[in-house]
């Protein structure tokens, strides 16, 4: 599997070991240090300590967040289908409400017609039954100041 099948020996590298030197405590300086933002970050940064020593090192770039994956654009067809479906549902709901309204209106009109028939029928019944009780008396008709009573002329 590997190109060489013999024993594998790790490569030896020259290693330099640096021992840190302890810093003496800093002496307060009378003038305050004002930090100044450089226009561009240099590849190698140098800092002058208050005791005059210079510390040089590499600038650390801030961690860049991973780029956000671009959202795919929503197709016009999908938008049209969704809007068409919402419109269709709205029309269906409106037709259901309209049908319910027409059914309720029809029932209301039928009840009004029934109520009118009951009231008018009752009025007719009252007229019929109240008129039949007064048939026993004389009928008087005045024609040109003449009085007729049961086909007899009284002048």
């Amino acid at each position: 599997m590997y190109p060489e099948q013999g024993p594998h020996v790790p490569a030896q590298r020259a290693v330099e070991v640096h021992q840190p030197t302890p810093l003496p405590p800093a002496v307060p300086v009378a003038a305050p240090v004002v930090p100044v933002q450089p226009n561009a970050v240099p590849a190698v940064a140098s800092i002058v300590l208050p005791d005059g020593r210079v510390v040089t090192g590499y600038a650390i770039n801030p961690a860049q967040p991973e780029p956000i994956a671009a959202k795919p654009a929503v197709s016009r067809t999908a938008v049209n289908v969704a809007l068409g479906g919402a419109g269709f549902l709205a029309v269906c709901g409106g037709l259901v409400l309209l049908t319910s309204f027409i059914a309720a209106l029809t029932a209301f009109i039928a009840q009004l017609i029934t109520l009118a028939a009951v009231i008018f029928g009752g009025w007719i019944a009252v007229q019929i039954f109240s008129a039949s009780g007064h048939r026993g008396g004389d009928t008087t008709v005045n024609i040109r100041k003449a009085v007729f009573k049961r086909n007899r002329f009284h002048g």
Side-chain angles (χ1 to χ4, degrees):
M1 193 177 261
Y2 292 108
E4 67 180 65
Q5 296 294 331
H8 183 66
V9 179
Q12 296 179 354
R13 297 182 190 159
V15 178
E16 293 182 21
V17 179
H18 297 280
Q19 296 294 332
T21 11
L23 296 175
V27 179
V29 179
V33 177
V34 178
V36 177
Q37 183 80 17
N39 292 340
V41 177
V44 177
S46 297
I47 299 174
V48 179
L49 297 176
D51 60 353
R53 292 183 294 165
V54 176
V55 177
T56 304
Y58 292 101
I60 299 174
N61 293 332
Q64 297 291 331
E66 293 183 20
I68 299 174
K71 292 183 181 179
V74 179
S75 69
R76 284 194 127 156
T77 305
V79 170
N80 290 339
V81 167
L83 290 176
F88 178 75
L89 289 177
V91 168
C92 288
L95 288 176
V96 168
L97 290 176
L98 181 63
T99 305
S100 301
F101 175 74
I102 291 173
L105 187 63
T106 304
F108 179 68
I109 291 173
Q111 288 179 352
L112 286 179
I113 291 172
T114 305
L115 180 65
V118 168
I119 291 173
F120 187 66
W123 181 77
I124 291 175
V126 166
Q127 296 301 317
I128 290 173
F129 290 127
S130 67
S132 65
H134 297 303
R135 290 207 172 178
D138 289 338
T139 303
T140 303
V141 178
N142 295 325
I143 299 174
R144 293 185 189 166
K145 295 186 180 179
V147 177
F148 291 92
K149 287 194 176 183
R150 284 204 181 187
N151 297 328
R152 294 188 190 125
F153 180 71
H154 300 281

